[in-house]
Amino acid sequence: MKYVVVIFIVLFSVISYGQTDHLELDSRIKNEFKRIENLDKEAYNKVDYEEFIQLLEATVKESPDNTEARYFLGYAYSRKNANDSSVMINANLDLVLKASEQFEEIIKLTPKYKGEIIGHNPYDKIAADWSGLALKYLYDKKKDSAIWAFKQAEKRGGFSAYKLQLYKEKLNACSKNAVLFSLGDIPTFSLNYLQTVENFREDISVVDITLLESKWYPKYLVENSIISFDISNEELKTIDYIEWNDKLITIDDFSWILKPSYDEYIFRGDRILLSFLKQNKFKRDIYFTTGFKPNTRLSLDAYISEGLLVDKLLVSKEKDTIINVNYELIKRMLKMTEIVNVYNDSDIKDVCYFRIMALYEISGFFEKNENKKAINLVKLIDKYIDEAIFPFRYKEYLKFYTDCKKFVND
């Protein structure tokens, strides 16, 4: 209760001052949101967003074109609804609608939002909020409602054609009946959308690795026969983080050293993932979406082969030391840029990633004297990826690409 009172006092002072200076008001709200983001879990879960909502609603009413105020108002509605994954299954449709309406209005006012970002841009936040509601409906065994919620996410601008096609490619990169571990809202929800709405590659079990930390998600996975574990449902409820020292883990004839995930501990989600591996015994192929940080996959990095679209766990000591890129696949990824949402920063980030991977391929082709393939990729980048829309973040890549274009044009 103490923290709620502190926030009320801060916001009351902002309300009083903000009547004459909205820029100052916006700045104070943003700073308070940042402070909340850095709270420990107990304090974070006690935050009352109603005060934010009242203030921001008044601001938006007075200044309806203030996209940043709308952004923070949308986030306040969203956080009031479900401030983390542990309460996602309690999502409320009315609050999802209120949050979504703010992000949709931002897109109408300025398709390329340039205000401050808390987590997601407006497009991805629409996708995340509606998809979170869809997952709640799936948990409640209301598939028709889940399909409706996913379609709302697409209809309102959350899922671009590019994003959905990209995740189709990721699913198709997996072998039959594989398990694909995803990380993050957009990867997980894009995959969930495709399997729930389009019935696409339903043979693959998609598992969000972060949600394994929650109490409800492992139970949902078991009850829906997505994956199973070598411990009971009761144990799944109570399993928690524990102190951990380096330990040899053996599953059948495969062994590796499992190190602590953080400091001297392994997390609840790590233990549940390990339980799945023991139950699965590598009978089903295991993949991960790209983007996992080092040492976040049960110390298995040495056995994970990185791919252009997904990474694969190899139960052997031999793995490729470079990212596996298929020439035809990289060409397809470059051509897909035609359907990208150029206002969505996460779409742009994906395109830039594939451009970098193409540049690595080009370099390799030149080294092997496969100049025709290298030149074809340079021309594809030049045709489909406009530098004005997809600027280079790193000078070394820009220089290499510029040199390649000079070579092609000479």
Side-chain angles (χ1 to χ4, degrees):
M1 284 300 295
K2 182 179 179 182
Y3 188 75
V4 175
V5 172
V6 171
I7 286 181
F8 178 81
I9 292 171
V10 171
L11 290 180
F12 183 80
S13 67
V14 174
I15 291 170
S16 301
Y17 188 81
Q19 291 173 353
T20 58
D21 192 338
H22 283 289
L23 291 177
E24 181 69 17
L25 177 149
D26 287 348
S27 175
R28 292 187 183 192
I29 292 174
K30 288 187 286 186
N31 289 338
E32 189 63 16
F33 258 92
K34 290 176 186 176
R35 192 159 74 93
I36 290 170
E37 292 298 303
N38 294 320
L39 293 173
D40 61 44
K41 186 174 182 179
E42 183 179 356
Y44 181 82
N45 288 334
K46 290 180 179 178
V47 174
D48 182 0
Y49 286 94
E50 190 57 38
E51 299 298 335
F52 284 103
I53 290 170
Q54 291 178 18
L55 173 59
L56 287 162
E57 284 179 339
T59 304
V60 168
K61 184 177 181 179
E62 187 171 335
S63 304
D65 292 345
N66 187 330
T67 55
E68 203 162 54
R70 287 188 178 277
Y71 180 84
F72 279 86
L73 176 56
Y75 248 93
Y77 286 136
S78 184
R79 291 288 169 80
K80 180 181 179 181
N81 195 19
N83 64 349
D84 66 32
S85 61
S86 66
V87 293
M88 184 184 293
I89 54 173
N90 299 324
N92 176 280
L93 173 58
D94 288 341
L95 285 171
V96 171
L97 276 166
K98 286 183 176 181
S100 184
E101 286 167 357
Q102 295 305 316
F103 298 121
E104 291 169 55
E105 191 61 32
I106 291 168
I107 292 168
K108 290 177 185 176
L109 289 167
T110 172
K112 181 72 171 178
Y113 174 68
K114 295 181 180 180
E116 189 152 348
I117 296 287
I118 300 172
H120 291 308
N121 64 58
Y123 298 96
D124 287 352
K125 190 57 178 161
I126 290 170
D129 282 5
W130 281 103
S131 299
L133 181 66
L135 191 52
K136 168 211 164 48
Y137 288 142
L138 288 174
Y139 180 82
D140 292 338
K141 302 188 184 303
K142 299 177 179 178
K143 187 174 181 179
D144 288 345
S145 296
I147 291 172
W148 172 80
F150 275 129
K151 286 184 175 180
Q152 288 295 310
E154 182 185 18
K155 176 183 176 182
R156 294 167 185 264
F159 291 120
S160 66
Y162 175 84
K163 193 76 74 183
L164 294 177
Q165 184 59 40
L166 171 59
Y167 282 90
K168 280 186 178 181
E169 296 285 352
K170 289 178 182 284
L171 285 168
N172 278 335
C174 300
S175 59
K176 187 173 177 60
N177 297 321
V179 179
L180 174 58
F181 287 96
S182 57
L183 176 67
D185 290 345
I186 301 308
T188 297
F189 292 144
S190 298
L191 295 165
N192 290 160
Y193 174 99
L194 291 169
Q195 291 189 317
T196 305
V197 177
E198 299 187 12
N199 303 317
F200 188 82
R201 289 302 305 270
E202 292 180 287
D203 60 294
I204 296 173
S205 293
V206 173
V207 179
D208 184 292
I209 205 160
T210 305
L211 289 178
L212 292 178
E213 288 288 335
S214 70
K215 299 292 184 182
W216 64 270
Y217 189 64
K219 174 174 175 276
Y220 164 78
L221 295 173
V222 172
E223 290 181 349
N224 289 274
S225 301
I226 297 172
I227 59 172
S228 56
F229 306 97
D230 76 337
I231 56 179
S232 67
N233 285 341
E234 286 303 312
E235 288 178 281
L236 281 176
K237 292 179 183 177
T238 58
I239 195 169
D240 207 344
Y241 71 91
I242 57 171
E243 290 188 13
W244 190 265
N245 296 313
D246 291 6
K247 182 178 179 181
L248 180 68
I249 302 294
T250 300
I251 301 176
D252 286 351
D253 59 351
F254 175 66
S255 299
W256 80 101
I257 301 294
L258 176 56
K259 299 177 180 294
S261 304
Y262 176 77
D263 202 5
E264 298 176 352
Y265 300 90
I266 60 171
F267 299 122
R268 163 183 163 83
D270 297 323
R271 297 180 67 191
I272 292 175
L273 175 56
L274 180 59
S275 174
F276 160 73
L277 293 179
K278 290 179 177 179
Q279 176 68 19
N280 182 53
K281 296 181 179 178
F282 306 110
K283 293 175 183 176
R284 303 174 69 183
D285 288 340
I286 297 171
Y287 295 85
F288 299 87
T289 54
T290 55
F292 279 77
K293 293 181 180 179
N295 303 316
T296 58
R297 295 178 284 195
L298 294 184
S299 309
L300 287 165
D301 289 358
Y303 308 97
I304 294 174
S305 178
E306 295 182 327
L308 181 66
L309 297 172
V310 292
D311 302 336
K312 184 177 182 180
L313 176 62
L314 302 176
V315 190
S316 99
K317 291 188 176 180
E318 297 181 2
K319 73 158 200 169
D320 295 327
T321 56
I322 59 173
I323 295 177
N324 297 311
V325 179
N326 176 281
Y327 175 63
E328 293 300 325
L329 178 59
I330 194 68
K331 288 202 304 183
R332 195 158 69 246
M333 293 299 101
L334 294 175
K335 290 177 181 179
M336 268 174 49
T337 306
E338 287 185 310
I339 58 173
V340 77
N341 177 358
V342 296
Y343 302 116
N344 186 332
D345 287 339
S346 67
D347 278 16
I348 290 175
K349 183 178 178 181
D350 287 331
V351 171
C352 291
Y353 163 76
F354 290 120
R355 179 174 58 191
I356 289 174
M357 292 300 101
L359 292 176
Y360 278 113
E361 281 296 281
I362 290 166
S363 177
F365 287 139
F366 278 133
E367 287 179 6
K368 294 181 289 187
N369 292 318
E370 297 183 48
N371 290 1
K372 185 176 180 180
K373 286 185 176 179
I375 291 170
N376 284 341
L377 287 183
V378 172
K379 289 180 177 179
L380 284 174
I381 294 174
D382 190 44
K383 179 178 180 179
Y384 291 107
I385 305 182
D386 185 342
E387 289 180 50
I389 300 172
F390 307 97
F392 281 89
R393 291 182 60 191
Y394 303 103
K395 292 180 180 178
E396 57 268 32
Y397 292 121
L398 174 58
K399 183 180 185 306
F400 176 72
Y401 175 56
T402 302
D403 290 343
C404 288
K405 285 201 296 181
K406 287 180 181 178
F407 175 82
V408 170
N409 294 327
D410 285 345

